[in-house]
Amino acid sequence: MVDPDARAEQESAHGGSLPVGPGPAAGRRAVREAVLRHGYAVCHGRLDEWGEGGGETVSAAREVLGPDWPRYRTAREPLVRARLLGSRLLLRHVVAAVAGTEPGRVVVGRDGNGRPVLHRPAGLDVGISHTAGMLVVGVARGRRIGVDVEASDRPLLAPGLAEKFCHPEELEELSGLPPAERNLRLVRLWTLKEAYTKALGVGLTHDFSRLRLRPEPQDGGWRLDRTADGWHLRCEQVGHFLVAGALGPEGGWGDGVL
């Protein structure tokens, strides 16, 4: 059996998404070391491991969910409730590993735009995303971070859909690709752009077609034209999913050019 911390450390070495399980130490050492080394970490967990909430009582679940408690309480789909609770539990454990504290001491809220903010401990920024059976969180020290996750085979080739979120130059590049490769590139572009706009706190209200993404061959990352210097974007395949992270300039908390 592969040691979770050893596997996570391998991912950390190239800036990849780190697997974190609900066990007492599963992946946490690598998360802490990634933030010390890079200033941030993007982590993923499985819904079937985190979604049950570890037997949390109603009062404990309410404390974990914080401002998301009303959504959880009124959600009719068990899957929606499981993703809400599981992703918030994962976030608390990841932040606790980075800050050297207990998960119960981590307090997460939301700003006026609905973006997650960390009230305690101070000095860290966080991001959350989830879909199907995958939960993703991001944590960064002294800078903005946004994350997004999508199924890599999400169908995005419907007529007129790509035009709504792709820059004209991206559409031109996509036109020469075979359908399967074109769809995968579309999902990648969507996931990266959503991670970036989540980091800025504007999300889907922004016109994605104004954002022009270009790959950075030297490090496997991506850059956005007309974006403030210092932003770093990355998207990788994790099993059946694409996981994207957008990291803001060092020392900044979200200043950028849309």
Side-chain angles (χ1 to χ4, degrees):
M1 180 178 293
V2 178
D3 174 28
D5 268 311
R7 181 159 58 99
E9 285 168 2
Q10 292 175 357
E11 295 296 329
S12 174
H14 63 75
S17 179
L18 307 175
V20 177
R28 287 160 179 73
R29 183 180 66 204
V31 171
R32 185 167 56 251
E33 292 179 355
V35 175
L36 287 172
R37 181 185 306 172
H38 306 299
Y40 78 101
V42 175
C43 312
H44 62 270
R46 289 166 39 190
L47 179 63
D48 60 359
E49 293 182 336
W50 288 96
E52 294 299 323
E56 300 282 348
T57 64
V58 172
S59 59
R62 184 168 187 165
E63 180 184 352
V64 168
L65 288 158
D68 293 302
W69 171 252
R71 290 176 59 197
Y72 178 86
R73 186 169 54 104
T74 58
R76 295 183 178 181
E77 293 293 330
L79 184 60
V80 174
R81 292 163 65 93
R83 286 199 297 247
L84 281 170
L85 182 56
S87 60
R88 275 59 180 176
L89 280 170
L90 173 60
L91 179 64
R92 282 162 64 105
H93 281 263
V94 166
V95 169
V98 173
T101 187
E102 296 297 322
R105 295 182 177 272
V106 176
V107 179
V108 183
R110 288 192 177 272
D111 66 14
N113 296 320
R115 186 180 186 276
V117 293
L118 193 61
H119 295 313
R120 192 174 68 227
L124 299 173
D125 192 50
V126 294
I128 305 173
S129 185
H130 46 75
T131 189
M134 177 68 88
L135 313 172
V136 174
V137 302
V139 58
R141 191 179 299 282
R143 61 181 78 180
R144 280 287 182 105
I145 191 168
V147 295
D148 192 51
V149 57
E150 299 287 349
S152 59
D153 61 353
R154 178 182 175 181
L156 292 180
L157 290 178
L161 182 57
E163 287 77 5
K164 293 182 178 180
F165 70 89
C166 289
H167 188 278
E169 293 178 7
E170 293 171 343
L171 291 172
E172 185 176 351
E173 294 171 353
L174 286 161
S175 65
L177 298 177
E181 189 175 344
R182 191 186 320 153
N183 191 78
L184 181 60
R185 174 60 70 92
L186 283 169
V187 179
R188 194 177 298 274
L189 291 173
W190 171 270
T191 309
L192 284 160
K193 292 182 181 185
E194 188 160 5
Y196 171 67
T197 56
K198 282 181 177 180
L200 290 180
V202 296
L204 298 178
T205 64
H206 185 67
D207 182 1
F208 282 18
S209 67
R210 290 173 49 199
L211 302 176
R212 169 65 162 119
L213 278 165
R214 299 181 189 276
E216 295 277 23
Q218 65 270 25
D219 66 359
W222 294 74
R223 64 182 172 86
L224 273 163
D225 288 353
R226 300 180 57 221
T227 300
D229 291 339
W231 279 90
H232 177 73
L233 288 83
R234 192 176 188 91
C235 185
E236 64 173 317
Q237 186 96 29
V238 179
H240 179 60
F241 301 91
L242 289 179
V243 176
L247 186 70
E250 188 173 0
W253 290 83
D255 292 335
V257 178
L258 286 169

